[in-house]
């Protein structure tokens, strides 16, 4: 029944809900309309394809390098752009360098076959651990909707690898060397899945160190170019390794995440005043920045590269600075910033906060983390988290009892003066009125809203009354006026008097009624 | 990328309202020329290049929250710092007690961190001698005892501010070779060693 009504409501045909492969199970939009089973199959295929593409790309790059190297005299850029446009460039890309002698060509052939041999073995190596781990992985994927997530990530991985190869192309020979190193490193990491997080971190850090040392000698101490390359390397490696090294099962990161999350949730009652934050959220611009800061710190979890995560933190911090600057009208200092950041973290409750911090600490390029601007804000975030973990009454200028009461939800600091009429006051005695102010913050809010509503109601009633009064008044006024007019009319009835006759007027109609004019009489005289 | 390469980390420590931020502000805004982004950022983190000899060293200056509330977290702040400027207010004896606390912390936790003791608000003391609560010689003795440099500065007049930071940069430059050499001996290969050799050769 309910299904039918629902169908009518949103016009979804039953067949549209089923898996697109027609296996009879229901599909899911997140899995492109497939059911979980078909999606997994599809996804595996896509992944295989992606890996193959990756290899093809890598191979291509290597070949280009070979070509460029073999004909180092020839126009390199030309050969590169040509071979780039054709996926199977060997036969076609060499003819343009016809002047290259036959010997290097055959050498090249030889190298290529060698390479192929090696590649086969590396490919095998690459897959062997995953087949060994297969059952475990399967169960993981069954538990969570990870196929959709990993599909996204595999696309991202693909993009990042392409970017990386593009970037390395500009570096010519060392680029190839770097790529080789990175690939070898990722392969070696695949075999180290069982290691603890600290060992993994050490491996990655060693790799960074070694590579940057070598780059340093290559670029002859130009730290800027080294940094640029290292950024790309970090991006490439960490995007690839993210899944296996972020919040690994060997650590208790996840437990800590949950603990922090609960802790922040329990601290929901902390107000901006308690933390002495100099941000006035009444100002629209400030609250705007606060919202942006919260968004940024939450977004951190969605990034995969440590540096991108750091960028989110920096972005968040900048918004906080803006908010403080608008409120205080002067540049903010650390004394203002840290409390504000704590407030933002409490409000945002960012997902997997501890895991993210651990991940950044373990796998970020250390030079960035320790000294730079990003490092500064990251350190502040660590401080904020440490503060939240250790937070007690004293750090909020509250007594221990008060703190306990707020923590247990018996009282809320939001409406400390509110009391009295609240009906939940169980025993109704005056002594309890202070604590019943709001048994719990939600009730307090409710109470507040109800009060607002009732006052609104009263005002509306009053308004309606007044309107009625006005109407009545209007009516009575009209009546009054009418009556008055009537009165006056009655008192002074309209008389139409004949106009007074004029003696002068001889042509009057009634002139005939007049006595005849006096006629002259002659008296004896 | 707005991020600038930073050579070393310098933390500012000191009680609230002792003038850490003003000190940094004074120092950075005094010479306006450096980098457009620094002025817009707020004063909590500043990257400031300084000329030392023929070399330019970029100090990353970290302002910290001085309130006692965050005392437990201060360790996170100065981790890995090469220099710490511990500030106290010349007109406030309690701030000097707090400075002692930080010095002790630093000595316990960051042995590589060089300490600079800095009395602030010197202009107030100059204007009215009776305001002074920390005797210059007491502070000097304390500084010698802990092997620190001692400065009395005024962010208002700029007195001694540049000198302080210049000294920080110079000391870093001098110690850089030594520290790096130490590190190289411990865990780095030959290559790195030779690189640093050449870099210091230029100096």
């Amino acid at each position: 029944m309910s299904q039918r009504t629902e169908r009518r409501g949103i016009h979804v045909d039953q067949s549209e809900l089923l898996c697109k492969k027609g296996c009879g199970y229901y599909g899911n939009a997140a899995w492109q309309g497939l059911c979980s089973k078909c999606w997994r199959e599809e996804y595996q295929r896509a992944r295989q394809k992606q890996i193959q593409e990756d290899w093809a790309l890598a191979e291509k790059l290597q070949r280009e390098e070979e070509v460029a190297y073999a004909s180092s005299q020839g126009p390199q850029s030309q050969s590169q752009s040509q071979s780039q446009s054709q996926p199977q460039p060997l036969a076609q890309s060499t003819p343009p360098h016809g002047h290259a002698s036959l010997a290097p060509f055959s050498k090249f052939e030889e190298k290529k076959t060698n390479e192929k041999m090696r590649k086969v073995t590396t490919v095998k190596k690459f897959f062997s651990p995953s087949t060994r781990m297969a059952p475990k992985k399967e169960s993981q994927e069954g538990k969570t909707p990870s196929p959709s997530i990993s599909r996204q990530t595999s696309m991202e991985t693909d993009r990042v690898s392409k970017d990386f190869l593009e970037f390395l192309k500009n570096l010519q020979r060392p680029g190839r060397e770097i790529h080789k190193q990175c690939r070898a490193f990722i392969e070696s990491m695949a075999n180290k899945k069982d290691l603890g997080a600290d060992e993994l971190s050490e491996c990655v850090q060693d790799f960074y160190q070694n590579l940057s040392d070598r780059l340093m000698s290559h670029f002859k101490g130009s730290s800027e170019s080294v940094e640029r390359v290292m950024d790309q390397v970090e991006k490439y490696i960490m995007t690839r390794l993210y899944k296996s090294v972020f919040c690994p099962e060997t650590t208790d990161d996840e437990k800590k995440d949950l603990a922090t999350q609960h802790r922040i949730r329990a601290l929901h009652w902390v107000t901006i005043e308690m933390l002495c934050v100099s941000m006035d959220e009444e100002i629209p611009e400030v609250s705007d920045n606060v919202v942006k800061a919260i968004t940024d710190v939450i977004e951190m979890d969605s990034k995969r590269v440590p540096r991108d995560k750091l960028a989110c933190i920096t972005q968040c911090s900048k918004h906080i600075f803006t908010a403080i600057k608008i409120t205080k009208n002067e540049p903010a200092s650390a004394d203002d910033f840290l409390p504000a950041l704590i407030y933002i973290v409490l409000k945002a409750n960012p997902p997997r906060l501890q895991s993210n911090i651990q991940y950044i600490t373990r796998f970020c390029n250390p030079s960035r983390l320790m000294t730079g601007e990003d490092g500064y804000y990251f350190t502040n975030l660590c401080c904020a988290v440490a503060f939240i973990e250790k937070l007690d009454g004293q750090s909020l200028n509250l007594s221990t009892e008060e703190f306990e009461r707020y923590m247990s939800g018996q009282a809320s600091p939001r409406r400390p003066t509110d009391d009295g009429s609240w009906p939940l006051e169980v025993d109704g005695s005056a002594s309890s009125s202070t604590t019943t102010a709001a048994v719990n913050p939600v009730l307090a809010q409710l109470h507040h809203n109800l009060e607002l509503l009732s006052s609104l109601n009263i005002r509306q009633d009053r308004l309606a009354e007044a309107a009625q009064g006005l109407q009545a008044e209007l009516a009575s006024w009209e009546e009054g006026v009418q009556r008055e007019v009537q009165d006056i009319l009655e008192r002074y009835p309209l008389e139409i008097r004949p106009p007074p006759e004029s003696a002068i007027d001889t042509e009057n109609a009634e002139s005939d009624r007049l006595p005849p004019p006096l006629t002259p009489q002659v008296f004896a005289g | 990328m707005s991020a600038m390469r930073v050579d070393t980390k310098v933390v500012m420590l000191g009680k609230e309202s002792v003038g850490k931020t003003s000190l940094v502000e004074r120092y950075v805004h005094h010479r306006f020329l450096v980098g457009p982004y620094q002025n817009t950022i707020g004063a909590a983190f500043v990257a400031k290049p300084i000329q030392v000899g023929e070399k330019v060293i970029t100090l990353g200056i970290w302002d910290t929250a001085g309130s006692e509330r965050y005392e437990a977290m201060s360790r996170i702040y100065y981790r890995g710092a090469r220099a710490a400027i511990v500030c106290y207010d010349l007109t406030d004896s309690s701030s000097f007690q707090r400075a002692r606390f930080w010095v002790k912390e630093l000595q316990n936790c960051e042995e590589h961190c060089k300490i600079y003791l800095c009395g602030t608000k010197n202009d107030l003391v100059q204007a009215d001698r009776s305001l002074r609560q920390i005797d210059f010689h007491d502070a000097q003795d304390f500084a010698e005892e802990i092997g620190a440099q001692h400065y009395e500065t005024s962010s208002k007049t700029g007195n001694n501010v540049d000198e302080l930071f210049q000294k920080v940069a110079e000391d870093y430059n001098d110690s850089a070779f030594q520290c790096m050499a130490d590190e190289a001996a411990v865990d780095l290969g030959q290559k790195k060693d030779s690189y640093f050799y050449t870099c210091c050769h230029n100096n």
Side-chain angles (χ1 to χ4, degrees):
Chain A
M1 273 298 282
S2 65
Q3 220 177 31
R4 197 183 294 163
T5 53
E6 203 175 286
R7 203 183 304 162
R8 200 188 299 146
I10 53 172
H11 304 287
V12 175
D13 199 41
Q14 176 108 23
S15 63
E16 279 177 51
L17 292 173
L18 291 174
C19 172
K20 292 226 169 99
K21 282 231 161 160
C23 64
Y25 287 99
Y26 282 100
N28 188 333
W31 299 330
Q32 299 181 333
L34 298 174
C35 72
S36 60
K37 200 159 169 290
C38 294
W39 165 248
R40 212 174 302 146
E41 275 167 22
E42 195 75 355
Y43 157 74
Q44 288 291 355
R45 201 171 307 144
R47 201 168 127 151
Q48 297 284 359
K49 206 176 136 209
Q50 182 248 320
I51 290 169
Q52 272 164 9
E53 273 173 8
D54 250 28
W55 282 113
L57 255 167
E59 221 167 296
K60 210 174 71 190
L61 181 89
Q62 223 156 20
R63 239 180 266 141
E64 279 159 21
E65 291 289 344
E66 299 278 3
V67 171
Y69 191 58
S71 59
S72 53
Q73 248 66 15
Q76 281 181 18
S77 55
Q78 195 194 341
S79 80
Q80 257 178 1
S81 61
Q82 261 180 1
S83 55
Q84 201 178 322
S85 57
Q86 288 145 348
Q88 307 253 295
L90 186 64
Q92 284 138 325
S93 67
T94 35
H97 315 287
H99 56 87
S101 64
L102 209 74
F105 182 75
S106 60
K107 217 192 250 169
F108 180 45
E109 274 292 72
E110 202 181 284
K111 242 185 205 165
K112 194 193 150 208
T113 46
N114 274 349
E115 226 173 77
K116 258 193 183 153
M117 295 283 284
R118 204 194 55 204
K119 210 150 286 166
V120 170
T121 56
T122 49
V123 167
K124 264 190 204 149
K125 226 192 280 167
F126 190 72
F127 283 113
S128 59
S130 69
T131 48
R132 191 161 50 84
M133 305 280 278
K136 198 176 164 195
K137 236 180 173 176
E138 204 77 350
S139 67
Q140 266 182 348
E141 279 172 5
K143 254 194 319 220
T144 53
S146 60
S148 61
I149 293 170
S150 45
R151 181 178 62 93
Q152 250 180 8
T153 53
S154 76
M155 266 160 58
E156 204 185 317
T157 312
D158 197 26
R159 195 174 45 74
V160 168
S161 331
K162 265 185 196 143
D163 287 352
F164 187 55
L165 290 173
E166 279 302 312
F167 172 79
L168 290 180
K169 255 179 208 164
N170 302 328
L171 292 177
Q172 305 282 334
R173 212 174 137 60
R176 189 184 139 202
E177 184 61 29
I178 293 167
H179 186 241
K180 238 198 230 161
Q181 292 251 342
C182 291
R183 229 175 33 192
F185 177 68
I186 289 172
E187 273 164 31
S188 75
M189 285 299 278
N191 292 321
K192 289 181 190 157
K193 270 185 184 150
D194 301 327
L195 285 183
D198 291 332
E199 283 99 346
L200 288 175
S201 157
E202 227 164 83
C203 292
V204 174
Q205 297 292 352
D206 280 351
F207 177 71
Y208 285 154
Q209 181 73 52
N210 283 330
L211 192 62
S212 69
D213 284 352
R214 294 177 69 160
L215 287 171
M216 205 60 141
S217 60
H218 170 77
F219 287 114
K220 309 208 168 44
S222 156
S223 50
E224 252 165 60
S225 12
V226 172
E227 207 132 293
R228 224 181 52 232
V229 176
M230 287 309 292
D231 281 348
Q232 293 292 330
V233 169
E234 181 190 325
K235 190 171 160 196
Y236 176 68
I237 289 183
M238 290 324 293
T239 314
R240 286 304 199 76
L241 294 178
Y242 181 77
K243 246 180 92 183
S244 54
V245 300
F246 183 85
C247 189
E249 283 162 40
T250 51
T251 63
D252 56 350
D253 288 357
E254 198 176 347
K255 223 188 286 169
K256 280 195 214 149
D257 282 341
L258 286 176
T260 307
Q261 201 143 28
H262 284 311
R263 174 80 176 157
I264 293 176
R265 219 172 285 155
L267 287 169
H268 62 85
W269 47 268
V270 174
T271 60
I272 201 162
E273 291 84 17
M274 287 181 193
L275 290 165
C276 307
V277 178
S278 36
M279 288 194 299
D280 184 1
E281 284 189 280
E282 298 284 300
I283 305 170
E285 261 182 283
V286 173
S287 68
D288 226 42
N289 274 296
V290 167
V291 170
K292 279 184 195 155
I294 290 173
T295 322
D296 284 330
V297 76
I298 290 174
E299 206 187 319
M300 172 178 71
D301 186 50
S302 68
K303 304 283 189 224
R304 305 176 84 193
V305 186
R307 199 159 54 94
D308 293 348
K309 286 183 189 285
L310 283 179
C312 285
I313 301 173
T314 306
Q315 202 60 39
C316 163
S317 306
K318 297 253 164 93
H319 285 307
I320 295 175
F321 269 109
T322 319
I324 298 173
K325 211 185 285 182
I326 294 167
T327 310
K328 283 185 70 181
N329 242 332
E330 59 181 76
S333 70
D335 287 313
D336 304 316
F337 172 65
L338 186 59
L341 183 66
I342 292 168
Y343 176 69
I344 294 292
V345 171
L346 280 178
K347 269 196 116 176
N349 200 352
R352 301 197 286 182
L353 189 55
Q354 295 279 2
S355 290
N356 277 301
I357 288 177
Q358 289 297 332
Y359 176 72
I360 293 171
T361 324
R362 284 179 193 140
F363 301 110
C364 192
N365 202 341
S367 67
R368 186 172 299 282
L369 204 54
M370 289 316 293
T371 45
E373 188 190 359
D374 290 341
Y376 177 73
Y377 295 123
F378 178 67
T379 306
N380 271 294
L381 182 66
C382 293
C383 280
V385 174
F387 180 81
I388 288 168
E389 276 172 354
K390 287 184 193 145
L391 190 95
D392 56 13
Q394 207 188 351
S395 42
L396 295 173
N397 295 332
L398 296 171
S399 69
T400 321
E401 301 90 68
E402 260 177 309
F403 182 78
E404 288 304 320
R405 244 191 356 243
Y406 293 150
M407 276 309 265
S408 59
Q410 284 176 339
S412 162
R414 274 167 218 277
R415 299 174 59 77
T417 53
D418 201 39
D419 61 7
S421 58
W422 190 236
L424 264 184
E425 203 173 321
V426 187
D427 52 3
S429 68
S431 63
S432 66
S433 63
T434 44
T435 50
T436 50
V439 183
N440 139 348
V442 181
L443 279 182
Q445 191 64 36
L446 210 70
H447 186 192
H448 182 67
N449 288 348
L450 273 178
E451 219 168 58
L452 270 177
L453 270 179
S454 64
S455 80
L456 273 179
N457 216 348
I458 290 168
R459 280 169 66 183
Q460 200 183 15
D461 281 352
R462 220 180 291 150
L463 186 73
E465 239 167 62
Q468 255 169 4
L470 189 69
Q471 212 164 20
E473 216 171 274
L474 208 70
S476 71
W477 179 77
E478 208 177 293
E479 241 168 63
V481 170
Q482 228 161 16
R483 205 177 310 127
E484 219 167 294
V485 169
Q486 209 67 41
D487 269 4
I488 290 168
L489 279 180
E490 266 164 34
R491 212 177 307 156
Y492 306 103
L494 189 69
E495 288 176 79
I496 298 165
R497 294 188 215 174
E501 280 156 39
S502 153
I504 300 152
D505 196 349
T506 47
E507 279 164 34
N508 259 326
E510 285 166 326
S511 56
D512 54 319
R513 266 198 261 162
L514 289 172
L518 291 174
T519 47
Q521 285 177 8
V522 180
F523 294 98
Chain B
M1 279 300 299
S2 68
M4 185 168 182
R5 224 204 108 73
V6 173
D7 290 310
T8 185
K9 168 174 163 183
V10 181
V11 281
M12 309 291 298
L13 296 171
K15 198 184 165 187
E16 248 176 320
S17 73
V18 83
K20 301 181 294 292
T21 314
S22 310
L23 192 67
V24 178
E25 282 269 289
R26 172 76 208 184
Y27 176 59
V28 174
H29 286 224
H30 179 61
R31 270 180 250 161
F32 234 131
L33 317 159
V34 203
Y37 77 89
Q38 287 162 351
N39 308 325
T40 59
I41 213 178
F45 175 85
V46 183
K48 171 87 178 174
I50 302 176
Q51 189 80 31
V52 179
E54 288 176 4
K55 221 169 139 190
V56 175
I57 286 182
T58 309
L59 297 184
I61 304 172
W62 291 36
D63 193 6
T64 66
S67 162
E68 255 170 276
R69 266 181 193 205
Y70 310 116
E71 208 169 86
M73 270 67 71
S74 57
R75 225 165 271 189
I76 304 175
Y77 270 126
Y78 52 68
R79 190 188 295 151
R82 273 294 152 79
I85 298 175
V86 180
C87 302
Y88 64 93
D89 186 343
L90 287 171
T91 65
D92 176 4
S93 57
S94 71
S95 70
F96 194 66
Q97 291 309 313
R98 295 272 292 156
R100 282 174 183 274
F101 158 79
W102 267 297
V103 168
K104 206 184 280 170
E105 284 267 296
L106 285 168
Q107 284 177 327
N108 287 338
C109 310
E110 287 294 325
E111 47 177 344
H112 285 299
C113 183
K114 237 176 140 26
I115 300 173
Y116 300 81
L117 202 60
C118 174
T120 58
K121 309 189 186 174
N122 198 17
D123 52 288
L124 292 180
V125 179
Q126 296 291 330
D128 181 358
R129 295 219 166 261
S130 66
L131 283 175
R132 184 185 268 276
Q133 292 198 9
I134 311 295
D135 188 64
F136 176 79
H137 295 288
D138 289 352
Q140 188 68 37
D141 287 350
F142 178 57
E144 271 165 28
E145 185 189 316
I146 60 171
Q149 296 284 334
H150 177 225
Y151 286 86
E152 286 191 350
T153 62
S154 161
S155 304
K156 196 175 171 189
T157 63
N159 176 26
N160 250 348
V161 174
D162 286 351
E163 287 84 343
L164 169 66
F165 284 95
Q166 189 68 34
K167 179 75 182 152
V168 172
E170 278 168 13
D171 285 353
Y172 169 73
N173 192 35
D174 292 344
S175 68
F177 173 64
Q178 216 180 339
C179 279
M180 297 301 180
D182 282 355
E183 269 176 38
V186 177
D187 63 346
L188 300 177
Q190 200 61 34
K191 264 175 189 159
K192 177 146 191 170
D193 212 331
S194 62
Y195 154 65
F196 281 109
Y197 224 97
T198 52
C199 110
C200 287
H201 216 67
N202 295 339
N203 171 32

